[in-house]
């Protein structure tokens, strides 16, 4: 039997009526919704209905944060440098992924753009979205 058939709409409706999720309008509301999500996240025994509520809360939080705390645009070579620094990698660790030492140096300095193929290899290497490098 699939998990979807175990979902209880009545139980979910009770959860929704208890917490009344709606678009977040203020920092105070953000704090409340975040606290509720963290409370759910710490539990190991969530019902399907509670998991659905947690997903709704996550979407509401992400929507508010996207509108109020947008991430700055970062140039692809800066993303690469930040990932390398975060993971303690050096030029010698990355050039095999990019193809050669000279191209790697030029990319890291911002003098050369990352090709689509290099972006795919970097995304695979770092296990991040390819968009970071395009």
């Amino acid at each position: 039997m699939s998990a979807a058939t175990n979902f209880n709409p009545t139980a979910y409706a009770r959860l929704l009526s208890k917490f009344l999720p709606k678009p977040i309008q203020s920092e105070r509301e953000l704090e409340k919704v975040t606290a509720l999500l963290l409370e759910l996240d710490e539990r190991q025994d969530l019902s399907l209905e509670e998991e659905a509520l947690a997903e709704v809360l996550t979407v509401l939080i992400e929507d508010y944060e996207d509108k109020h705390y947008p991430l700055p645009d970062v140039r692809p070579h800066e993303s690469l440098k930040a990932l390398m620094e975060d993971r303690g990698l050096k030029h010698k660790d990355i050039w095999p992924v990019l193809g050669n030492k000279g191209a790697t140096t030029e990319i890291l300095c911002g003098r050369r753009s990352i090709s689509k193929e290099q972006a795919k290899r970097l995304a695979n290497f770092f296990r991040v979205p390819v968009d970071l490098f395009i």
Side-chain angles (χ1 to χ4, degrees):
M1 186 181 278
S2 73
T5 59
N6 294 328
F7 186 84
N8 183 330
T10 305
Y12 185 57
R14 277 194 300 267
L15 278 173
L16 291 176
S17 68
K18 181 178 178 183
F19 299 109
L20 299 174
K22 66 176 189 60
I24 299 169
Q25 301 296 322
S26 68
E27 291 293 320
R28 186 174 182 178
E29 288 179 11
L30 176 65
E31 289 173 15
K32 286 182 177 182
V33 174
T34 301
L36 176 57
L37 180 59
L38 289 173
E39 180 182 312
L40 289 169
D41 192 44
E42 290 174 0
R43 292 193 21 223
Q44 300 295 319
D45 60 342
L46 292 182
S47 66
L48 292 175
E49 298 79 21
E50 290 169 323
E51 288 178 9
L53 176 61
E55 193 170 331
V56 168
L57 297 176
T58 300
V59 169
L60 293 173
I61 291 168
E62 287 175 351
D63 179 64
Y64 182 85
E65 290 179 344
D66 287 348
K67 289 176 183 172
H68 293 85
Y69 304 107
L71 294 175
D73 288 333
V74 178
R75 295 179 20 202
H77 78 280
E78 292 171 347
S79 294
L80 174 58
K81 287 167 54 174
L83 285 166
M84 289 173 61
E85 182 179 326
D86 183 55
R87 298 178 186 191
L89 299 174
K90 304 285 184 212
H91 183 280
K92 66 181 176 78
D93 302 312
I94 280 306
W95 79 258
V97 177
L98 290 172
N100 70 54
K101 293 177 186 180
T104 301
T105 299
E106 289 186 12
I107 287 170
L108 290 172
C109 292
R111 291 190 301 257
R112 179 184 225 167
S113 62
I114 299 172
S115 72
K116 288 183 182 180
E117 184 56 39
Q118 289 170 326
K120 289 177 190 176
R121 291 195 308 259
L122 286 168
N124 186 46
F125 179 80
F126 285 107
R127 300 188 188 284
V128 297
V130 71
D131 297 353
L132 288 176
F133 306 112
I134 294 178

